[in-house]
Amino acid sequence: MNQPAASRTQDTKSTGPGRLLIAVYGIFALAATARAGFQIISKFAEAPVAYLLSALAAVVYIAATISLAKKGRSWFKAAAVAVCIELLGVLIVGALSIFDAQAFPQDTVWSQFGRGYGFVPLLLPILGLIWLYRHRKPAEQP
């Protein structure tokens, strides 16, 4: 059975350096999930907002990892949304944690623009958006 030309086109967003990007997202998904789970289970009352934001970061990293690894236009759009949400989260939480430190008595993954993680949480969505932009299909190009 012949496939239409559109479905035969190789999805290149999960090849080459894209695999490294997906791997880093996967590592952050695991790290953020473990951190948030531990914080929520063991010391939620200390800083509920910070710990819930860590859980949100974990969900975003999981969504980004899965959607970057999957093929298809819908997964491409899901990846773009997840990475944009991540960037907004890092920028908003990063700025708030610097300018209103009392609101964040404990760090989140995104606190101070990801300083606790070597600023990778700030760089990762930027690299993710660049990768997605460069690997969009012709129908997705402006």
Side-chain angles (χ1 to χ4, degrees):
M1 185 178 225
N2 289 337
Q3 293 179 328
S7 64
R8 281 184 277 155
T9 307
Q10 183 181 4
D11 185 353
T12 61
K13 72 178 173 35
S14 62
T15 61
R19 288 184 182 179
L20 178 60
L21 185 68
I22 293 166
V24 173
Y25 267 105
I27 291 167
F28 268 80
L30 288 172
T33 301
R35 177 183 181 147
F38 173 77
Q39 291 170 328
I40 289 170
I41 290 169
S42 66
K43 48 188 179 177
F44 184 74
E46 290 178 22
V49 172
Y51 299 151
L52 289 174
L53 284 171
S54 286
L56 174 64
V59 170
V60 171
Y61 286 127
I62 291 167
T65 302
I66 293 168
S67 59
L68 283 167
K70 297 284 189 171
K71 295 179 181 180
R73 188 174 185 159
S74 295
W75 286 111
F76 184 94
K77 289 178 181 180
V81 168
V83 174
C84 285
I85 290 170
E86 176 195 2
L87 181 59
L88 285 173
V90 172
L91 293 175
I92 292 169
V93 173
L96 287 174
S97 65
I98 289 173
F99 296 115
D100 188 10
Q102 292 178 352
F104 295 92
Q106 298 292 326
D107 282 345
T108 72
V109 176
W110 294 336
S111 291
Q112 298 175 5
F113 305 105
R115 185 176 81 176
Y117 290 89
F119 297 102
V120 173
L122 178 61
L123 297 174
L124 197 55
I126 295 168
L127 295 173
L129 288 173
I130 291 169
W131 184 256
L132 287 169
Y133 179 78
R134 290 187 175 174
H135 291 84
R136 67 198 188 281
K137 291 182 181 174
E140 297 161 346
Q141 294 176 353

